[in-house]
Amino acid sequence: MSGNNLSRRPSALASIALAFCGCSLPIAQSAAQAADPTIFHRDEGLTLRWHLQAGANAVAEQKLFWNLAATTTPDSNYDPNKAWLELYVKPGISAERSLAGGAVLYGKLSAVASATRGTDAFESTNASSLTLEKLHAGLRGKWDSDLSYDLSIGSRELRLGTGMLIASGASSGFERGALKFGPRKAWDQAVVAQLASGSLSGTAFYVSPNELPSSEGRNRLAGIDLRHDGVGGGYLGATLLRVLNSESAYVQAAPNGVGAPTVLPGARDGTVALSLYVKSNPLPG
C-alpha cells in the first residue's frame, strides 16, 4: 500500500527505460544455458541466474498540483514548473535447487540504487539511496497431481488481484530519489503461503512495507486471498485483510466537507478491508 500520485495539468514527460538481458557465456555450455543467457551455473539440480534492471527518466512538469500552491500558500514560493532526471539500477541473483520428490527450494537477493538529479515535484533535490530489495527463500512443489503449494519468507514482491489492496510493497521518491520510476516493489517482510488446485488458488499472507525512513508507520498487514482463473485470462477473486499494527495518520474530512480536515494519528490500526475483483474478456480479440 504505497506509491506516489501526482496531480497536474499540462505536462511533458520523456521516458527512456533500459532493460538488459545479455551476458557472455563460456564456450562449453548446456542447451538450457544457451536458451536462457541469464543462467550462469547449472549443475546437479542447482541453477543460478543473474538479474539486472536499469532506467533513466527525464521529467518535465508544468502547473503541478493544479497550481494550488499559488492560491493556498503563496508565501511558500513553490515553483509548479519543474524538470529533473531520475536514474536507477537493480542487480540481483537467484537460485533454485531441485529436491527429492520434485520439490524446489528457491531464493533471491537483489538491491536498488536510485537517484534524482535536480528538484522533483515534492522539492527533493539530488536525492539518492541504496537499499536492499529482495532477500527471500521459499519451497514449492506438489502434494499430488492436482494440489500444488508455494511457501516463502523474506523480502519479496506480492500483488493480489488487481492490486487494489496488495500491490507495491515499497516506497521510492523523497530521500530515496526516483519518484516517478518507483523502482522498489518488494515488501520489507513477507510470509506467504499459497495453495492451488486446477483453476482455484488461495493465498495467506503477512506483510510489512518497506517504507520511507521519514514516514515510517510500522504498518503490519495480514489476510487471505481466494481466486478462480478462467479461460482466456479472466479471473474472479476476493482479498480480505486486517491491519495488525499502524502508526500512520489518517486524514478525516470535516462534516459535510465544510472546514479543515482532522488528522487522526494511528487511525489505520485495526482496519479491516475487503476487495472483490473480476476480469473478463467476453469479446474476441
Side-chain angles (χ1 to χ4, degrees):
M1 300 173 112
S2 64
N4 298 300
N5 295 313
L6 301 182
S7 298
R8 62 223 181 248
R9 265 201 200 167
S11 66
L13 175 63
S15 302
I16 302 174
L18 309 176
F20 302 91
C21 283
C23 67
S24 298
L25 295 173
I27 296 177
Q29 59 183 350
S30 67
Q33 286 175 302
D36 186 350
T38 65
I39 297 176
F40 65 90
H41 175 82
R42 173 170 281 174
D43 182 37
E44 297 180 356
L46 175 64
T47 301
L48 300 178
R49 287 182 172 87
W50 61 263
H51 306 264
L52 182 62
Q53 294 180 15
N57 186 23
V59 185
E61 303 273 344
Q62 292 184 333
K63 297 184 179 180
L64 280 159
F65 309 112
W66 303 287
N67 206 20
L68 285 176
T71 302
T72 59
T73 56
D75 296 335
S76 67
N77 296 319
Y78 177 80
D79 182 3
N81 304 321
K82 297 185 183 298
W84 69 92
L85 176 68
E86 298 181 0
L87 305 164
Y88 87 93
V89 60
K90 185 191 297 188
I93 183 173
S94 64
E96 292 185 353
R97 164 73 76 176
S98 297
L99 305 177
V104 176
L105 182 66
Y106 65 89
K108 188 172 184 179
L109 169 65
S110 66
V112 178
S114 59
T116 292
R117 288 296 170 260
T119 302
D120 67 20
F122 290 110
E123 299 281 75
S124 293
T125 301
N126 297 331
S128 62
S129 179
L130 173 63
T131 60
L132 179 71
E133 174 70 351
K134 296 179 182 179
L135 179 57
H136 65 265
L139 180 69
R140 64 174 179 263
K142 290 188 175 182
W143 271 312
D144 53 42
S145 59
D146 295 325
L147 186 62
S148 61
Y149 63 89
D150 191 336
L151 311 172
S152 67
I153 184 171
S155 304
R156 55 158 285 180
E157 294 183 22
L158 178 65
R159 179 185 176 92
L160 299 174
T162 60
M164 180 67 183
L165 295 183
I166 298 295
S168 178
S171 297
S172 296
F174 298 89
E175 65 264 35
R176 288 177 173 172
L179 172 68
K180 287 279 192 175
F181 258 139
R184 294 167 179 83
K185 307 296 182 184
W187 298 84
D188 182 52
Q189 301 174 34
V191 180
V192 182
Q194 297 175 316
L195 289 175
S197 178
S199 62
L200 299 176
S201 61
T203 302
F205 61 91
Y206 166 87
V207 292
S208 174
N210 178 8
E211 301 177 88
L212 292 166
S214 60
S215 57
E216 172 66 54
R218 295 178 175 81
N219 289 280
R220 306 288 185 269
L221 316 171
I224 58 173
D225 177 84
L226 300 176
R227 173 170 171 153
H228 169 74
D229 286 280
V231 296
Y235 53 76
L236 171 68
T239 304
L240 176 67
L241 69 76
R242 180 180 178 85
V243 180
L244 304 179
N245 183 78
S246 178
E247 297 177 8
S248 297
Y250 185 83
V251 180
Q252 184 180 53
N256 300 318
V258 179
T262 302
V263 177
L264 306 175
R268 289 183 178 181
D269 192 60
T271 297
V272 176
L274 173 66
S275 172
L276 305 177
Y277 57 87
V278 60
K279 177 182 177 181
S280 178
N281 301 308
L283 302 177

